[in-house]
Amino acid sequence: MSKERARRREARQAELAAERAARARKVARRERCRAVVRRLTPTLRRGRTGRLHRHTRGERAAIVLLTGAALAGIWSFVDDLALRLALVVLLLLVLPAIVVIALDRRT
């Protein structure tokens, strides 16, 4: 009876060892695949990306406030409606260039 139990235990242990080995091979293969995919995919920059994140919060607030002040000045000091609209459109077209000239950090 004990010999038969020992034989069954050995068979169970051999089966568990085979399953562990198969699982270990599967995990290793999965890790190798993940490593290859990680190596081939380009890394994404985290943090400050995109057009709005080029400037600090204070710089963005200054841009908005100064643009609003310029718009208020145009609407309060210019009487002709067509000239007002033309100046507003001109301001909005030139605003990106002004921001780049004033706040660009490349130099």
Side-chain angles (χ1 to χ4, degrees):
M1 185 81 164
S2 64
K3 288 182 181 180
E4 187 176 327
R5 251 186 284 149
R7 214 177 316 120
R8 277 189 261 154
R9 186 179 340 111
E10 283 181 18
R12 257 194 331 263
Q13 288 176 350
E15 187 178 327
L16 287 174
E19 286 177 8
R20 278 192 210 112
R23 193 176 315 125
R25 284 193 305 268
K26 186 186 249 184
V27 168
R29 184 174 55 234
R30 186 182 313 136
E31 288 301 318
R32 282 193 310 271
C33 287
R34 284 182 182 170
V36 168
V37 168
R38 214 177 300 124
R39 197 170 46 239
L40 292 178
T41 55
T43 57
L44 297 175
R45 288 186 352 177
R46 299 280 182 215
R48 295 169 57 112
T49 59
R51 294 189 186 277
L52 287 179
H53 293 290
R54 289 184 185 165
H55 304 291
T56 64
R57 183 176 290 163
E59 289 174 342
R60 287 193 303 256
I63 292 167
V64 169
L65 289 175
L66 290 176
T67 304
L71 288 173
I74 289 171
W75 281 95
S76 64
F77 294 125
V78 177
D79 292 330
D80 188 26
L81 180 63
L83 184 58
R84 280 182 187 172
L85 293 176
L87 288 175
V88 167
V89 168
L90 181 67
L91 174 69
L92 293 178
L93 286 175
V94 175
L95 184 64
I98 294 171
V99 168
V100 167
I101 291 170
L103 299 176
D104 194 20
R105 295 187 193 96
R106 278 186 250 165
T107 58

